[in-house]
């Protein structure tokens, strides 16, 4: 039979040497570098967490700026200008409005735009808003275009250039001064290359060509652009007129405007053509004096006295034959039409009564009975 040796487990040995060996092994293992054999730990979850935390912080900042911070709204006595560029969205516009203190909360404006489904309908341009304008009114203007916030300038028929200048200053609250407009309209020759009807005006002012109408003056308009508006209107309004009759009388466009400005001051639309006919009869007579008080009034600034209308002045049409040196105002289209197509009569005189009625006479003797 084979011999068997007795197997004794290590753990069953309680010798001091064994215990000492185990202790030394444990101590050495504690200081052993095991990093090369450790399993790799992914850093992706940590990076994702950082991105999420940064996004949350950014959102908090944006919300805080747009919702928590509300600047003091611009007072109603002041105005601000913003420009909406092509391609800008509701948030861009909201930030511009916020910077100019026209709104106090950009997020609410964005929500208003979204609520009205108007994000794609904001019209580029420069806008001028008064402080205190509601968000709804601001958005309405942005959907109409820059003309919605433009200053409204009305030029009445027959108004003089100096008075137009004052109206421009008033309409723009001084942004365009009266003097700036006077300077821009001082020399017709500066515009003659673009407007042939100015060629006969020489270096005189644009008196007579500042067409009576209501104009929208936007925040980007200056005095020169306002002048161009008026000249464009004159060109468009008079483009279809037949000027063959005054031209047959050797009259230039400047002469037409001169006579029309006098007709404007002396009559009413219902009798413009008759009064124009009277003045043509005088100009073609042996004594070509228009004898219009209005030409002297243009210089003295009031209803002239008998001495003033007969004074030695270029604008006295009692002392000087023919037309005055310049127009005496800016005539309406009706007055210009009357000069182009006057009523053919034998009238040489007319008299206007305080009730607005007129008397026309062929002879001076008959004319004298008008005020007797």
């Amino acid at each position: 039979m084979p011999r068997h040796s007795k197997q004794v487990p290590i753990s069953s040995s309680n010798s001091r040497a064994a215990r000492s060996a185990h202790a030394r092994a444990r101590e050495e293992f504690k200081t052993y570098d095991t990093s090369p054999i450790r399993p790799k730990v992914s850093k992706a979850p940590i990076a994702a967490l950082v991105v999420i935390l940064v996004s949350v912080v950014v959102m908090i900042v944006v919300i805080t700026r747009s919702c928590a911070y509300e600047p003091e709204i611009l007072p109603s006595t002041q105005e601000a200008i913003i420009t909406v560029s092509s391609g800008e969205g509701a948030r861009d516009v909201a930030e511009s409005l916020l910077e100019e203190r026209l709104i106090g909360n950009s997020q609410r404006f964005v929500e208003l735009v979204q609520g009205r489904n108007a994000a794609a309908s904001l019209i580029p341009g420069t806008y001028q808003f008064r402080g205190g304008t509601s968000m709804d009114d601001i958005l309405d203007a942005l959907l109409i275009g820059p003309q919605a916030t433009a200053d409204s300038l009305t030029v009445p028929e027959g108004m003089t250039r100096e008075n137009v200048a004052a109206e421009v200053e008033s309409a723009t609250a001084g942004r365009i001064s009266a003097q700036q407009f006077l300077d821009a309209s001082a020399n017709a020759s500066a515009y003659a290359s673009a407007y042939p009807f100015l060629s006969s005006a020489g270096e005189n002012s644009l008196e007579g060509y500042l067409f009576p109408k209501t104009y929208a003056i936007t925040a980007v308009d200056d005095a020169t652009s306002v002048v161009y508006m008026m000249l464009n209107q004159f060109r468009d309004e008079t483009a279809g007129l037949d000027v063959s009759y005054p031209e047959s009388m050797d009259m230039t466009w400047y002469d037409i405007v001169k006579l029309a400005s006098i007709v404007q001051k002396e009559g009413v639309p219902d009798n413009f053509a008759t009064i124009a006919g009277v003045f043509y009869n005088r100009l073609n007579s042996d004594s070509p004096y228009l004898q219009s008080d209005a030409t002297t009034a243009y210089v003295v600034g009031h209803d002239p006295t008998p001495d003033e209308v007969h004074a030695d002045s270029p604008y006295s049409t009692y002392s000087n034959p023919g037309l005055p040196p310049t127009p005496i105002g800016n005539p309406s289209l009706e007055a210009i039409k009357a000069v182009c197509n006057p009523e053919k009569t034998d009238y040489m005189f007319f008299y206007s009564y305080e009730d607005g009625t007129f008397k026309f006479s062929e002879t001076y003797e008959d004319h004298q009975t008008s005020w007797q």
Side-chain angles (χ1 to χ4, degrees):
M1 295 180 62
R3 295 179 62 187
H4 297 279
S5 60
K6 189 174 180 180
Q7 301 289 326
V8 179
I10 291 178
S11 60
S12 66
S13 174
N14 292 320
S15 69
R16 180 179 295 175
R19 289 195 300 273
S20 177
H22 280 287
R24 285 196 304 274
R26 283 194 298 271
E27 289 300 321
E28 290 179 1
F29 187 76
K30 286 181 180 179
T31 61
Y32 185 75
D33 183 9
T34 62
S35 59
I37 62 174
R38 290 176 188 167
K40 299 295 183 179
V41 179
S42 174
K43 297 181 180 180
I46 297 175
L49 179 60
V50 171
V51 171
I52 292 172
L53 290 175
V54 171
S55 298
V56 170
V57 171
V58 171
M59 289 178 64
I60 291 173
V61 171
V62 171
I63 293 173
T64 300
R65 288 183 62 187
S66 62
C67 298
Y69 171 66
E70 294 196 7
E72 182 181 357
I73 296 297
L74 196 71
S76 60
T77 55
Q78 298 181 28
E79 294 183 339
I81 296 172
I82 71 160
T83 298
V84 179
S85 300
S86 180
E88 282 193 332
R91 191 166 297 282
D92 299 312
V93 176
E95 288 300 320
S96 296
L97 292 168
L98 186 67
E99 288 176 7
E100 296 297 333
R101 296 163 51 208
L102 290 166
I103 62 174
N105 188 298
S106 60
Q107 182 60 31
R108 283 207 292 269
F109 183 80
V110 171
E111 292 171 355
L112 175 64
V113 174
Q114 293 172 340
R116 291 174 59 175
N117 195 28
S121 302
L122 302 177
I123 299 177
T126 301
Y127 296 80
Q128 183 172 321
F129 293 105
R130 186 171 295 279
T133 304
S134 71
M135 284 190 184
D136 279 302
D137 288 344
I138 290 175
L139 180 53
D140 287 341
L142 294 172
L143 297 177
I144 295 172
Q147 70 272 18
T149 64
D151 296 315
S152 180
L153 167 68
T154 298
V155 179
E157 297 164 345
M159 178 174 275
T160 65
R161 185 174 72 99
E162 286 196 357
N163 288 335
V164 172
E167 289 298 316
V168 170
E169 181 172 303
S170 176
T172 61
R175 185 174 62 81
I176 302 175
S177 71
Q179 189 58 53
Q180 287 173 327
F181 183 82
L182 288 173
D183 290 343
S185 60
N187 191 337
S189 65
Y191 303 89
S193 61
Y195 304 96
F197 53 78
L198 291 176
S199 60
S200 55
E203 295 186 356
N204 289 305
S205 77
L206 290 173
E207 185 79 272
Y209 296 97
L210 307 174
F211 200 86
K213 189 178 173 64
T214 297
Y215 299 91
I217 304 177
T218 68
V220 297
D221 289 320
D222 58 12
T224 301
S225 61
V226 174
V227 168
Y228 274 114
M229 287 182 201
M230 296 177 179
L231 292 177
N232 287 341
Q233 196 65 37
F234 185 97
R235 176 198 61 202
D236 295 344
E237 297 277 357
T238 61
L241 293 184
D242 179 2
V243 296
S244 58
Y245 183 80
E247 286 181 345
S248 71
M249 302 293 177
D250 294 326
M251 292 176 66
T252 64
W253 251 114
Y254 199 45
D255 293 330
I256 292 171
V257 175
K258 287 180 189 179
L259 185 53
S261 69
I262 300 172
V263 170
Q264 182 77 54
K265 292 291 188 180
E266 292 282 11
V268 295
D270 287 345
N271 61 25
F272 279 169
T274 309
I275 289 178
V278 171
F279 285 136
Y280 272 117
N281 289 342
R282 292 185 184 178
L283 289 173
N284 294 321
S285 70
D286 294 333
S287 181
Y289 292 86
L290 295 181
Q291 296 185 346
S292 168
D293 290 5
T295 58
T296 299
Y298 175 71
V299 176
V300 300
H302 57 257
D303 288 338
T305 64
D307 287 341
E308 287 173 329
V309 298
H310 289 92
D312 185 15
S313 162
Y315 285 87
S316 170
T317 48
Y318 285 81
S319 301
N320 299 284
L323 296 166
T326 70
I328 62 170
N330 296 282
S332 64
L333 181 61
E334 289 75 15
I336 298 173
K337 284 181 176 179
V339 172
C340 292
N341 187 27
E343 183 180 355
K344 308 301 192 298
T345 69
D346 292 325
Y347 295 140
M348 295 293 291
F349 304 92
F350 64 88
Y351 186 84
S352 61
Y353 295 94
E354 291 183 358
D355 63 1
T357 58
F358 285 73
K359 178 184 177 182
F360 293 88
S361 306
E362 295 182 10
T363 66
Y364 183 68
E365 290 73 23
D366 187 23
H367 177 59
Q368 284 184 307
T369 65
S370 300
W371 59 85
Q372 294 176 352

